[in-house]
Amino acid sequence: MIIVTDHAVLRYLEQVHGHDIEAVREEIAGLVGEACAAADRASLPADRIVLAGACRLTVRNGTVTTVTRPRRARGRRHVG
């Protein structure tokens, strides 16, 4: 079995598919920047979840560590 690292996937997306990885990084930072600044001003904990549009970003000590889809509220079903 061949293992493909995250680095290789990123470079493939960048080199073969023409994705601008730095632009994506800046977009993610922009999504969480304002929310984290507001939380800092309110002296909230450094670890937080930021909901931005269609994604849920986990921030630990000022670093976005993962991006997932938001959880649906219990008992609700998506229709459509």
Side-chain angles (χ1 to χ4, degrees):
M1 178 177 175
I2 299 295
I3 296 169
V4 180
T5 66
D6 290 345
H7 176 79
V9 171
L10 285 173
R11 292 300 158 248
Y12 184 83
L13 290 172
E14 191 174 51
Q15 300 298 318
V16 176
H17 290 282
H19 292 281
D20 184 345
I21 301 304
E22 284 307 311
V24 173
R25 186 184 315 273
E26 289 172 16
E27 180 179 346
I28 292 169
L31 289 172
V32 300
E34 188 175 316
C36 287
D40 290 342
R41 286 190 299 274
S43 298
L44 296 175
D47 294 350
R48 59 187 61 111
I49 302 297
V50 175
L51 297 177
C55 60
R56 178 178 186 259
L57 303 106
T58 301
V59 181
R60 301 205 187 284
N61 296 316
T63 301
V64 179
T65 58
T66 193
V67 179
T68 57
R69 293 185 185 267
R71 294 181 185 156
R72 285 192 225 151
R74 290 181 190 219
R76 289 187 166 182
R77 293 182 55 211
H78 176 68
V79 178

